[in-house]
């Protein structure tokens, strides 16, 4: 039981995990409202509104600032990690999603008469985020960290 007590007392970890969990649930609910169907992949998948990556790292960074101060090593690492994750979500991963969408469209039509090996599985299109999705995730993470800090 001591292990779980130590985990629960870790404000930074609890805040980051909560940031991810809340963003994933919101993402699933938003997807459900927009598409009128439940997609269980949204509970753990990447892409979509809000960005759970941004929510997680911003919750982590904000919690680190509360716990250790903005001049700390812990805050510095969290801040740099946050910038990399959010930049990547809007850049490389977003472009990967766009390319997957185009390739899926081409493979569906199969103008090159490719064999079944390439046509077996659709490429994952929801991997990146728009700046709005990243911003919403960042705000969500920061707000959750401020709220959770009241209990520690």
């Amino acid at each position: 039981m001591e292990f779980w007590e130590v985990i629960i007392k870790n404000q930074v970890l609890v805040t980051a995990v909560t940031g991810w969990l809340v963003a994933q649930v919101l993402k699933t609910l938003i997807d459900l409202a927009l598409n009128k169907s439940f997609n269980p992949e949204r509970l753990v998948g990447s892409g979509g509104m809000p960005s759970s990556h941004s929510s997680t790292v911003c919750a982590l960074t904000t919690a680190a600032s509360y716990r250790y101060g903005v001049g700390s090593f812990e805050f510095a690492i969290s801040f740099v990690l946050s910038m990399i994750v959010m930049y990547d979500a809007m850049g490389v991963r977003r472009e990967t999603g766009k390319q997957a969408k185009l390739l899926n469209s081409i493979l569906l039509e199969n103008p090159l008469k490719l064999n079944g090996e390439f046509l077996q599985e659709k490429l994952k299109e929801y991997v990146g985020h728009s700046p709005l999705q990243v911003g919403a995730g960042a705000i969500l993470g920061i707000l959750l960290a401020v709220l959770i800090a009241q209990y520690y």
Side-chain angles (χ1 to χ4, degrees), residues 21-93:
L21 185 64
V22 170
Q24 287 298 123
V25 170
L26 285 174
K27 182 186 306 189
T28 303
L29 293 174
I30 290 169
D31 185 69
L32 176 65
L34 291 175
N35 296 314
K36 309 288 190 258
S37 66
F38 176 69
N39 181 358
E41 190 272 334
R42 296 285 62 208
L43 284 170
V44 293
S46 57
M49 172 66 112
S51 165
S52 58
H53 289 85
S54 296
S55 180
T56 303
V57 295
C58 285
L60 173 77
T61 302
T62 305
S65 74
Y66 271 99
R67 182 79 173 115
Y68 304 108
V70 294
S72 69
F73 176 72
E74 292 87 351
F75 175 79
I77 289 174
S78 300
F79 183 81
V80 171
L81 173 70
S82 295
M83 294 300 104
I84 292 169
V85 167
M86 292 188 296
Y87 178 81
D88 183 63
M90 289 186 296
V92 174
R93 289 186 329 112

Coordinates of all heavy atoms in Angstrom, one line a residue, residues 21-93:
L21 N -5.7 12.3 -18.7 CA -7.0 11.6 -18.6 C -8.2 12.5 -19.0 O -9.1 12.2 -19.7 CB -7.1 11.1 -17.2 CG -8.4 10.3 -16.9 CD1 -8.3 9.0 -17.7 CD2 -8.4 9.9 -15.4
V22 N -8.2 13.7 -18.4 CA -9.3 14.7 -18.7 C -9.3 15.0 -20.2 O -10.4 15.1 -20.8 CB -9.2 15.9 -17.8 CG1 -10.2 17.0 -18.2 CG2 -9.4 15.6 -16.3
A23 N -8.2 15.3 -20.8 CA -8.1 15.6 -22.2 C -8.6 14.5 -23.1 O -9.4 14.7 -24.0 CB -6.7 16.0 -22.6
Q24 N -8.3 13.2 -22.7 CA -8.7 12.1 -23.5 C -10.2 11.9 -23.4 O -10.9 11.6 -24.4 CB -8.0 10.8 -23.0 CG -6.6 10.7 -23.5 CD -6.3 10.7 -25.0 OE1 -5.6 11.6 -25.5 NE2 -6.9 9.8 -25.7
V25 N -10.8 12.1 -22.2 CA -12.2 12.0 -22.0 C -12.9 13.1 -22.8 O -13.9 12.8 -23.5 CB -12.6 12.0 -20.5 CG1 -14.1 12.1 -20.3 CG2 -12.1 10.7 -19.8
L26 N -12.5 14.3 -22.7 CA -13.1 15.4 -23.4 C -13.0 15.2 -24.9 O -13.9 15.4 -25.7 CB -12.4 16.7 -23.1 CG -12.7 17.4 -21.7 CD1 -11.8 18.6 -21.5 CD2 -14.2 17.7 -21.7
K27 N -11.8 14.7 -25.4 CA -11.7 14.4 -26.8 C -12.7 13.4 -27.3 O -13.3 13.5 -28.4 CB -10.2 13.9 -27.0 CG -9.9 13.5 -28.4 CD -8.5 12.9 -28.5 CE -7.5 13.7 -27.9 NZ -6.1 13.2 -28.1
T28 N -12.9 12.4 -26.5 CA -13.9 11.3 -26.8 C -15.3 11.9 -26.8 O -16.1 11.6 -27.8 CB -13.8 10.2 -25.8 OG1 -12.4 9.7 -25.8 CG2 -14.7 9.0 -26.1
L29 N -15.6 12.7 -25.9 CA -17.0 13.3 -25.8 C -17.2 14.3 -27.0 O -18.3 14.3 -27.6 CB -17.2 14.0 -24.5 CG -17.2 13.2 -23.2 CD1 -17.3 14.0 -22.0 CD2 -18.4 12.2 -23.3
I30 N -16.2 15.0 -27.4 CA -16.3 15.9 -28.5 C -16.5 15.1 -29.8 O -17.3 15.5 -30.6 CB -15.1 16.9 -28.6 CG1 -15.2 17.9 -27.4 CG2 -15.0 17.6 -29.9 CD1 -13.9 18.7 -27.2
D31 N -15.7 14.1 -29.9 CA -15.8 13.2 -31.1 C -17.2 12.6 -31.2 O -17.8 12.5 -32.3 CB -14.7 12.1 -31.1 CG -14.7 11.3 -32.3 OD1 -14.4 11.8 -33.4 OD2 -15.1 10.1 -32.3
L32 N -17.7 12.2 -30.0 CA -19.1 11.6 -30.0 C -20.1 12.6 -30.4 O -21.0 12.2 -31.2 CB -19.3 11.1 -28.5 CG -20.7 10.5 -28.2 CD1 -20.9 9.2 -29.0 CD2 -20.8 10.2 -26.8
A33 N -20.0 13.8 -29.9 CA -21.0 14.8 -30.3 C -20.9 15.2 -31.8 O -21.9 15.4 -32.4 CB -20.7 16.1 -29.4
L34 N -19.7 15.3 -32.3 CA -19.6 15.6 -33.7 C -19.9 14.5 -34.7 O -20.6 14.8 -35.7 CB -18.1 16.1 -34.0 CG -17.6 17.4 -33.3 CD1 -16.2 17.6 -33.6 CD2 -18.5 18.5 -33.8
N35 N -19.6 13.3 -34.4 CA -19.8 12.2 -35.3 C -21.0 11.3 -34.9 O -21.3 10.3 -35.6 CB -18.5 11.3 -35.4 CG -17.4 12.1 -35.9 OD1 -17.5 12.8 -36.9 ND2 -16.2 12.0 -35.3
K36 N -21.7 11.6 -33.8 CA -22.8 10.9 -33.4 C -22.6 9.4 -33.2 O -23.5 8.6 -33.4 CB -24.0 11.1 -34.4 CG -24.3 12.5 -34.7 CD -25.0 13.2 -33.5 CE -25.5 14.6 -33.9 NZ -24.7 15.7 -33.5
S37 N -21.4 9.0 -33.0 CA -21.0 7.6 -32.7 C -19.8 7.5 -31.8 O -19.0 8.4 -31.8 CB -20.7 6.8 -34.0 OG -19.6 7.3 -34.6
F38 N -19.8 6.5 -30.9 CA -18.7 6.3 -30.0 C -17.6 5.6 -30.6 O -17.7 4.5 -31.2 CB -19.2 5.5 -28.8 CG -18.1 5.2 -27.8 CD1 -17.5 6.2 -27.0 CD2 -17.7 3.9 -27.6 CE1 -16.5 5.9 -26.1 CE2 -16.7 3.6 -26.7 CZ -16.1 4.6 -25.9
N39 N -16.4 6.2 -30.6 CA -15.2 5.6 -31.1 C -14.2 5.3 -29.9 O -13.6 6.3 -29.4 CB -14.5 6.5 -32.1 CG -13.3 5.9 -32.7 OD1 -12.8 4.8 -32.4 ND2 -12.7 6.7 -33.6
P40 N -14.1 4.1 -29.5 CA -13.3 3.8 -28.3 C -11.8 4.1 -28.5 O -11.1 4.4 -27.5 CB -13.5 2.3 -28.0 CG -14.0 1.7 -29.3 CD -14.7 2.9 -30.0
E41 N -11.3 4.2 -29.7 CA -9.9 4.5 -30.0 C -9.6 6.0 -29.5 O -8.5 6.3 -29.2 CB -9.7 4.4 -31.5 CG -8.2 4.5 -31.9 CD -7.7 5.9 -32.1 OE1 -8.5 6.8 -32.5 OE2 -6.5 6.2 -32.0
R42 N -10.6 6.8 -29.5 CA -10.4 8.2 -29.1 C -10.0 8.3 -27.6 O -9.4 9.3 -27.2 CB -11.7 9.0 -29.3 CG -12.2 9.2 -30.7 CD -11.4 10.2 -31.5 NE -10.0 9.8 -31.7 CZ -8.9 10.6 -31.9 NH1 -9.1 11.9 -31.9 NH2 -7.7 10.1 -32.0
L43 N -10.4 7.3 -26.8 CA -10.0 7.3 -25.4 C -8.5 7.2 -25.2 O -8.0 7.6 -24.1 CB -10.7 6.1 -24.6 CG -12.2 6.4 -24.3 CD1 -12.8 5.1 -23.8 CD2 -12.4 7.5 -23.3
V44 N -7.8 6.6 -26.1 CA -6.3 6.4 -26.0 C -5.6 7.0 -27.1 O -4.3 7.1 -27.1 CB -5.9 5.0 -25.7 CG1 -6.4 4.5 -24.4 CG2 -6.4 4.1 -26.8
G45 N -6.2 7.3 -28.2 CA -5.6 7.7 -29.5 C -5.0 9.1 -29.4 O -5.4 9.9 -28.6
S46 N -4.2 9.4 -30.4 CA -3.6 10.8 -30.5 C -4.4 11.6 -31.5 O -5.3 11.0 -32.2 CB -2.2 10.7 -30.9 OG -2.0 10.0 -32.1
G47 N -4.2 12.8 -31.6 CA -4.9 13.7 -32.5 C -6.2 14.1 -31.9 O -6.7 13.5 -30.9
G48 N -6.8 15.2 -32.4 CA -8.2 15.6 -31.9 C -8.1 16.7 -31.0 O -7.1 17.2 -30.6
M49 N -9.3 17.1 -30.5 CA -9.5 18.3 -29.7 C -10.0 17.9 -28.3 O -10.9 17.1 -28.2 CB -10.5 19.2 -30.3 CG -11.0 20.4 -29.4 SD -9.6 21.5 -29.1 CE -10.2 23.0 -30.0
P50 N -9.3 18.3 -27.2 CA -8.1 19.1 -27.1 C -6.9 18.1 -27.2 O -7.0 16.9 -27.0 CB -8.2 19.7 -25.7 CG -8.9 18.7 -24.9 CD -9.9 18.1 -25.9
S51 N -5.7 18.7 -27.4 CA -4.5 17.9 -27.4 C -4.2 17.3 -26.0 O -3.9 18.1 -25.1 CB -3.3 18.7 -27.9 OG -2.1 18.1 -27.7
S52 N -4.2 16.0 -25.9 CA -3.8 15.4 -24.6 C -2.3 15.5 -24.4 O -1.9 15.6 -23.2 CB -4.3 14.0 -24.5 OG -3.7 13.2 -25.5
H53 N -1.5 15.6 -25.4 CA -0.1 15.8 -25.3 C 0.2 17.1 -24.6 O 0.9 17.2 -23.7 CB 0.6 15.7 -26.6 CG 0.7 14.3 -27.2 ND1 -0.4 13.8 -28.0 CD2 1.6 13.4 -27.2 CE1 -0.1 12.6 -28.3 NE2 1.1 12.3 -27.9
S54 N -0.5 18.2 -25.2 CA -0.3 19.5 -24.6 C -0.8 19.6 -23.2 O -0.2 20.3 -22.4 CB -1.0 20.5 -25.5 OG -0.4 20.6 -26.8
S55 N -2.0 19.0 -23.0 CA -2.6 19.1 -21.6 C -1.7 18.4 -20.6 O -1.4 19.0 -19.5 CB -3.9 18.4 -21.7 OG -4.5 18.4 -20.4
T56 N -1.1 17.3 -21.0 CA -0.2 16.5 -20.1 C 1.0 17.3 -19.7 O 1.4 17.5 -18.6 CB 0.2 15.2 -20.7 OG1 -1.0 14.4 -21.0 CG2 1.1 14.4 -19.8
V57 N 1.7 17.8 -20.8 CA 3.0 18.5 -20.5 C 2.8 19.9 -19.9 O 3.7 20.3 -19.1 CB 3.9 18.6 -21.8 CG1 4.3 17.2 -22.2 CG2 3.3 19.3 -22.9
C58 N 1.7 20.6 -20.2 CA 1.5 21.8 -19.5 C 1.0 21.7 -18.1 O 1.4 22.5 -17.2 CB 0.5 22.7 -20.3 SG 1.2 23.4 -21.8
A59 N 0.3 20.6 -17.8 CA 0.0 20.3 -16.4 C 1.2 19.9 -15.7 O 1.4 20.4 -14.5 CB -1.0 19.1 -16.4
L60 N 2.1 19.2 -16.3 CA 3.4 18.8 -15.7 C 4.2 20.0 -15.4 O 4.7 20.2 -14.2 CB 4.1 17.9 -16.6 CG 5.6 17.5 -16.2 CD1 5.6 16.4 -15.1 CD2 6.3 17.0 -17.5
T61 N 4.4 20.9 -16.3 CA 5.2 22.1 -16.2 C 4.6 23.0 -15.1 O 5.3 23.6 -14.3 CB 5.3 22.8 -17.5 OG1 5.9 21.9 -18.5 CG2 6.2 24.1 -17.4
T62 N 3.3 23.2 -15.1 CA 2.7 24.1 -14.2 C 2.8 23.5 -12.8 O 3.1 24.3 -11.8 CB 1.2 24.4 -14.5 OG1 1.1 24.9 -15.9 CG2 0.6 25.4 -13.6
A63 N 2.6 22.2 -12.6 CA 2.7 21.6 -11.3 C 4.2 21.7 -10.8 O 4.4 21.9 -9.6 CB 2.3 20.1 -11.4
A64 N 5.1 21.5 -11.7 CA 6.6 21.7 -11.3 C 6.9 23.1 -10.9 O 7.6 23.3 -9.9 CB 7.5 21.3 -12.5
S65 N 6.2 24.1 -11.5 CA 6.4 25.5 -11.1 C 5.9 25.7 -9.7 O 6.5 26.4 -8.9 CB 5.9 26.4 -12.1 OG 4.5 26.5 -12.0
Y66 N 4.7 25.1 -9.4 CA 4.1 25.2 -8.1 C 5.0 24.5 -7.0 O 5.2 25.0 -5.9 CB 2.7 24.6 -8.0 CG 1.6 25.5 -8.4 CD1 1.1 25.6 -9.6 CD2 1.1 26.4 -7.4 CE1 0.0 26.4 -10.0 CE2 0.1 27.3 -7.7 CZ -0.4 27.3 -9.0 OH -1.5 28.2 -9.3
R67 N 5.4 23.3 -7.3 CA 6.1 22.5 -6.4 C 7.6 22.9 -6.1 O 8.1 22.9 -5.0 CB 6.1 21.0 -6.9 CG 6.7 20.0 -6.0 CD 5.8 19.7 -4.8 NE 6.4 18.6 -4.0 CZ 6.8 18.8 -2.8 NH1 6.6 19.9 -2.2 NH2 7.3 17.7 -2.1
Y68 N 8.3 23.2 -7.2 CA 9.7 23.5 -7.1 C 10.2 24.9 -7.5 O 11.3 25.3 -7.2 CB 10.5 22.5 -8.1 CG 10.2 21.1 -7.8 CD1 9.4 20.3 -8.7 CD2 10.6 20.4 -6.6 CE1 9.1 19.0 -8.4 CE2 10.3 19.1 -6.4 CZ 9.6 18.4 -7.3 OH 9.3 17.1 -7.0
G69 N 9.3 25.7 -8.0 CA 9.6 27.1 -8.4 C 10.1 27.2 -9.9 O 10.6 26.2 -10.4
V70 N 9.9 28.3 -10.5 CA 10.3 28.5 -11.9 C 11.8 28.6 -12.1 O 12.3 28.5 -13.2 CB 9.6 29.7 -12.5 CG1 8.1 29.5 -12.6 CG2 10.0 31.0 -11.8
G71 N 12.6 28.7 -11.0 CA 14.0 28.7 -11.1 C 14.6 27.3 -11.0 O 15.9 27.2 -11.0
S72 N 13.8 26.3 -10.8 CA 14.3 25.0 -10.5 C 14.7 24.2 -11.8 O 14.2 24.5 -12.9 CB 13.3 24.2 -9.8 OG 12.2 23.9 -10.6
F73 N 15.5 23.2 -11.6 CA 15.9 22.2 -12.6 C 14.7 21.5 -13.1 O 14.5 21.3 -14.3 CB 16.9 21.3 -12.0 CG 17.4 20.2 -12.9 CD1 18.2 20.4 -14.0 CD2 16.9 18.9 -12.7 CE1 18.6 19.4 -14.8 CE2 17.3 17.8 -13.5 CZ 18.2 18.1 -14.6
E74 N 13.8 21.1 -12.2 CA 12.6 20.3 -12.6 C 11.7 21.2 -13.5 O 11.1 20.6 -14.5 CB 11.8 19.9 -11.3 CG 12.5 18.9 -10.5 CD 13.4 19.5 -9.4 OE1 13.7 20.7 -9.5 OE2 13.9 18.7 -8.6
F75 N 11.5 22.4 -13.2 CA 10.7 23.3 -14.1 C 11.4 23.5 -15.4 O 10.7 23.4 -16.5 CB 10.5 24.7 -13.4 CG 9.8 25.6 -14.3 CD1 8.4 25.5 -14.5 CD2 10.5 26.6 -15.1 CE1 7.7 26.4 -15.4 CE2 9.8 27.4 -15.9 CZ 8.4 27.4 -16.1
A76 N 12.7 23.7 -15.4 CA 13.4 23.9 -16.7 C 13.2 22.7 -17.6 O 12.9 22.8 -18.8 CB 14.9 24.1 -16.4
I77 N 13.4 21.5 -17.1 CA 13.2 20.2 -17.9 C 11.8 20.1 -18.4 O 11.5 19.9 -19.6 CB 13.6 19.0 -17.1 CG1 15.1 18.9 -16.9 CG2 13.1 17.7 -17.8 CD1 15.5 17.8 -16.0
S78 N 10.8 20.4 -17.5 CA 9.4 20.3 -17.9 C 9.1 21.3 -19.0 O 8.3 21.0 -19.9 CB 8.5 20.5 -16.7 OG 8.7 19.6 -15.7
F79 N 9.6 22.5 -18.9 CA 9.3 23.6 -19.8 C 9.8 23.2 -21.2 O 9.1 23.3 -22.2 CB 9.8 24.9 -19.3 CG 9.5 26.1 -20.2 CD1 8.3 26.7 -20.2 CD2 10.4 26.5 -21.2 CE1 8.0 27.7 -21.0 CE2 10.1 27.5 -22.0 CZ 8.9 28.2 -22.0
V80 N 11.1 22.8 -21.2 CA 11.7 22.4 -22.5 C 11.0 21.3 -23.2 O 10.7 21.3 -24.4 CB 13.2 22.1 -22.4 CG1 13.8 21.5 -23.6 CG2 14.0 23.4 -22.0
L81 N 10.6 20.3 -22.4 CA 9.9 19.1 -22.8 C 8.5 19.6 -23.4 O 8.1 19.1 -24.5 CB 9.6 18.1 -21.7 CG 8.7 16.9 -22.0 CD1 9.4 16.0 -23.0 CD2 8.3 16.2 -20.8
S82 N 7.9 20.5 -22.7 CA 6.6 21.0 -23.2 C 6.7 21.7 -24.6 O 5.9 21.4 -25.5 CB 6.0 22.0 -22.2 OG 5.7 21.3 -21.0
M83 N 7.7 22.5 -24.7 CA 7.9 23.2 -26.0 C 8.1 22.2 -27.1 O 7.6 22.3 -28.2 CB 9.1 24.2 -25.9 CG 8.8 25.3 -25.0 SD 7.4 26.3 -25.4 CE 6.2 25.8 -24.2
I84 N 8.9 21.2 -26.9 CA 9.2 20.2 -27.9 C 8.0 19.4 -28.3 O 7.7 19.2 -29.5 CB 10.4 19.2 -27.4 CG1 11.7 20.0 -27.3 CG2 10.5 18.0 -28.4 CD1 12.8 19.2 -26.6
V85 N 7.3 18.9 -27.3 CA 6.1 18.1 -27.5 C 5.0 18.9 -28.3 O 4.4 18.4 -29.3 CB 5.5 17.6 -26.2 CG1 4.1 17.0 -26.4 CG2 6.4 16.5 -25.6
M86 N 4.8 20.2 -27.9 CA 3.7 21.0 -28.6 C 4.2 21.4 -30.0 O 3.4 21.3 -30.9 CB 3.4 22.2 -27.8 CG 2.6 21.8 -26.5 SD 1.9 23.1 -25.5 CE 3.4 24.0 -25.0
Y87 N 5.4 21.7 -30.2 CA 6.0 22.0 -31.5 C 5.8 20.8 -32.4 O 5.4 20.9 -33.6 CB 7.4 22.4 -31.4 CG 8.0 22.7 -32.8 CD1 7.8 24.0 -33.4 CD2 8.9 21.8 -33.4 CE1 8.4 24.2 -34.6 CE2 9.4 22.1 -34.6 CZ 9.2 23.3 -35.2 OH 9.7 23.6 -36.5
D88 N 6.2 19.6 -31.9 CA 6.1 18.4 -32.7 C 4.7 18.0 -33.0 O 4.4 17.6 -34.2 CB 6.7 17.2 -31.9 CG 6.7 15.9 -32.7 OD1 7.4 15.9 -33.8 OD2 6.1 15.0 -32.3
A89 N 3.7 18.2 -32.1 CA 2.3 17.9 -32.4 C 1.8 18.8 -33.5 O 1.0 18.3 -34.3 CB 1.5 18.2 -31.1
M90 N 2.2 20.0 -33.6 CA 1.7 20.9 -34.7 C 2.5 20.8 -36.0 O 2.1 21.2 -37.0 CB 1.8 22.4 -34.2 CG 0.7 22.7 -33.2 SD 0.7 24.5 -32.8 CE 2.3 24.8 -32.1
G91 N 3.7 20.2 -35.9 CA 4.6 20.1 -37.0 C 4.6 18.8 -37.7 O 3.8 18.4 -38.5
V92 N 5.6 18.0 -37.3 CA 5.8 16.7 -37.9 C 4.6 15.8 -37.8 O 4.2 15.2 -38.8 CB 7.1 16.0 -37.2 CG1 7.3 14.6 -37.7 CG2 8.3 16.8 -37.4
R93 N 4.0 15.6 -36.6 CA 2.9 14.7 -36.5 C 1.7 15.2 -37.3 O 0.9 14.4 -37.8 CB 2.6 14.5 -35.0 CG 3.6 13.7 -34.3 CD 3.3 13.3 -32.9 NE 2.5 14.2 -32.1 CZ 1.3 14.0 -31.7 NH1 0.7 12.8 -31.9 NH2 0.6 14.9 -31.0

